[in-house]
Amino acid sequence: MQRKSPKKVLPLSKVYALLESGPVVLLTTANKKGANTMPMSWHTMMEFEPPYVGCIISDRNYSFNILKSTKECVISIPTKELLKKVVACGNTSGRDTNKFKTFGLTVATASAVKAPLIDECYVNLECKVIDTKLVKKYGFFVLEVIKAWIDSKNKMPQTIHHQGKGEFMVAGKIIKTSSKKK
Amino acid sequence: MQRKSPKKVLPLSKVYALLESGPVVLLTTANKKGANTMPMSWHTMMEFEPPYVGCIISDRNYSFNILKSTKECVISIPTKELLKKVVACGNTSGRDTNKFKTFGLTVATASAVKAPLIDECYVNLECKVIDTKLVKKYGFFVLEVIKAWIDSKNKMPQTIHHQGKGEFMVAGKIIKTSSKKK
């Protein structure tokens, strides 16, 4: 038999911070004016292989129009050591700041897109936009990862996970289970 | 000047495990035959308020057709203590198993949807499907959270984050920063 939940009602405005705890990534785009990067937490895998990634970019972000028109980007995964720089990238805009120069991030040439890789990040993923059907309504882009780069020397990457209002959870210990899932 | 990345190429098949580290959730649906739940890691926030959540459910999952037809579900967030039960829910199917009974999960009545809440979970979110445009192509459902429940006594919820092949990262320590973002 079902009973009434013993839990307290949570304001709907607090829900997002409970769910968005995937790793914070840096989304890098490039156009004639140069390259720019922004932190992003609202993303999900959509397919294993080829890897599709869905992500939300607000049209208030400088990156929105660049991604929409160039249809290319790089997703980089930073670790704990980069947290201050990641926050600095989020507190500024590419409209008036060269974030790579200002915050000391080293760019490297990608193989298949114009946006650069970020050396200090644990992983770099070169992506093409493959579906824009939900961009107008939600800012939801579907990306295909076409090339992936990893720092294979980093065996314990401490990714960072935004939990709303500037609080970040740092990846903790790993547990192995008998899950049969990929 | 840009230089070539010093990193190694990563097989594309390994990309998904790097990005899916949002909290594992249990997605619960219900139809005439009863309620069923499945673990899910592929989800993203899409809007702050009202909270929209996008998620991928494969059409191979028993839950797919139920969600598609009932347009309702509950998203529950388990913590570390529930890991074994979460894995057990993923290793079985609602086609032939009553997971709540078999694995000892306590259901509670939701306020606005027929699918039940799960008491043992830290958070329960009642959801309605609001957009199915990308369901056929990707299994991507857009949900609106219409009611949220939280265990407010749990101040340090150790969420679990699937990293592929049965490895789970347990939420680690929290760092506060000067981020201006929500």
Side-chain angles (χ1 to χ4, degrees):
Chain A
M1 220 187 76
Q2 294 191 2
R3 59 190 182 81
K4 209 166 153 276
S5 172
K7 295 188 171 64
K8 253 181 62 181
V9 172
L10 176 75
L12 294 179
S13 61
K14 293 191 173 181
V15 168
Y16 76 93
L18 298 166
L19 282 181
E20 69 174 15
S21 45
V24 174
V25 300
L26 289 167
L27 184 127
T28 302
T29 49
N31 64 5
K32 283 178 197 169
K33 289 182 187 167
N36 182 54
T37 195
M38 62 169 275
M40 175 175 77
S41 286
W42 288 12
H43 55 80
T44 179
M45 287 307 297
M46 297 182 71
E47 183 54 89
F48 288 104
E49 194 173 7
Y52 292 167
V53 180
C55 66
I56 298 278
I57 318 258
S58 164
D59 58 10
R60 292 181 301 275
N61 284 120
Y62 177 65
S63 306
F64 179 84
N65 282 324
I66 304 175
L67 183 60
K68 211 175 146 195
S69 57
T70 64
K71 294 190 182 302
E72 293 184 351
C73 65
V74 170
I75 289 179
S76 301
I77 306 182
T79 47
K80 191 183 152 192
E81 300 72 25
L82 281 183
L83 180 54
K84 273 191 182 172
K85 293 184 182 193
V86 170
V87 169
C89 286
N91 285 345
T92 49
S93 171
R95 286 183 190 93
D96 52 30
T97 306
N98 179 330
K99 300 185 191 178
F100 298 103
K101 213 170 167 179
T102 308
F103 306 123
L105 290 168
T106 314
V107 289
T109 310
S111 71
V113 301
K114 281 178 189 148
L117 313 175
I118 300 177
D119 271 3
E120 288 84 357
C121 287
Y122 168 55
V123 164
N124 286 297
L125 308 171
E126 301 181 31
C127 303
K128 296 270 189 185
V129 174
I130 57 164
D131 197 320
T132 56
K133 277 191 204 72
L134 298 191
V135 167
K136 197 175 174 188
K137 196 158 183 189
Y138 306 103
F140 185 74
F141 293 82
V142 182
L143 311 174
E144 179 178 339
V145 180
I146 53 170
K147 188 100 182 181
W149 307 85
I150 189 168
D151 177 1
S152 53
K153 291 185 301 292
N154 190 344
K155 300 293 180 200
M156 281 290 286
Q158 285 196 285
T159 51
I160 49 182
H161 302 250
H162 192 229
Q163 299 200 309
K165 297 185 179 172
E167 284 197 13
F168 293 82
M169 177 271 280
V170 179
K173 74 170 183 169
I174 306 297
I175 301 180
K176 294 189 185 201
T177 75
S178 60
S179 170
K180 294 174 195 164
K181 300 292 168 189
K182 272 200 195 174
Chain B
M1 220 187 75
Q2 294 191 5
R3 59 191 184 81
K4 212 168 151 276
S5 174
K7 294 187 171 62
K8 254 182 61 180
V9 172
L10 176 76
L12 293 179
S13 62
K14 293 191 173 181
V15 168
Y16 77 93
L18 298 166
L19 283 182
E20 70 175 11
S21 45
V24 174
V25 299
L26 289 167
L27 183 127
T28 302
T29 49
N31 64 5
K32 282 178 195 167
K33 290 183 185 165
N36 182 54
T37 195
M38 62 170 274
M40 175 176 76
S41 285
W42 288 11
H43 54 79
T44 178
M45 288 307 298
M46 296 183 69
E47 184 54 270
F48 287 103
E49 193 172 9
Y52 293 165
V53 180
C55 66
I56 298 278
I57 318 258
S58 163
D59 58 10
R60 293 181 301 276
N61 284 120
Y62 178 64
S63 306
F64 179 85
N65 281 324
I66 304 175
L67 183 60
K68 210 175 145 193
S69 57
T70 64
K71 292 190 183 302
E72 291 185 350
C73 65
V74 170
I75 290 178
S76 301
I77 306 182
T79 46
K80 190 183 153 192
E81 299 73 26
L82 282 183
L83 180 56
K84 273 190 183 173
K85 293 184 181 193
V86 170
V87 169
C89 286
N91 285 345
T92 49
S93 170
R95 286 184 189 92
D96 52 30
T97 307
N98 179 329
K99 300 186 191 178
F100 298 103
K101 212 170 170 179
T102 308
F103 306 123
L105 290 168
T106 315
V107 290
T109 311
S111 70
V113 300
K114 280 177 188 149
L117 313 176
I118 300 177
D119 271 3
E120 288 83 356
C121 286
Y122 167 55
V123 163
N124 287 296
L125 308 171
E126 301 181 31
C127 303
K128 296 271 190 187
V129 175
I130 58 165
D131 196 320
T132 56
K133 278 189 203 74
L134 298 191
V135 167
K136 197 174 173 191
K137 194 157 183 190
Y138 307 102
F140 184 75
F141 293 82
V142 183
L143 312 173
E144 179 178 340
V145 180
I146 54 172
K147 189 101 180 178
W149 307 84
I150 189 167
D151 176 1
S152 54
K153 291 186 299 295
N154 190 344
K155 301 294 180 200
M156 281 289 288
Q158 285 197 283
T159 50
I160 49 181
H161 302 250
H162 191 230
Q163 300 200 307
K165 299 184 177 171
E167 285 197 12
F168 292 82
M169 178 271 281
V170 179
K173 74 170 182 169
I174 306 295
I175 300 180
K176 294 189 185 197
T177 74
S178 59
S179 170
K180 295 173 195 164
K181 300 290 167 191
K182 273 200 192 175

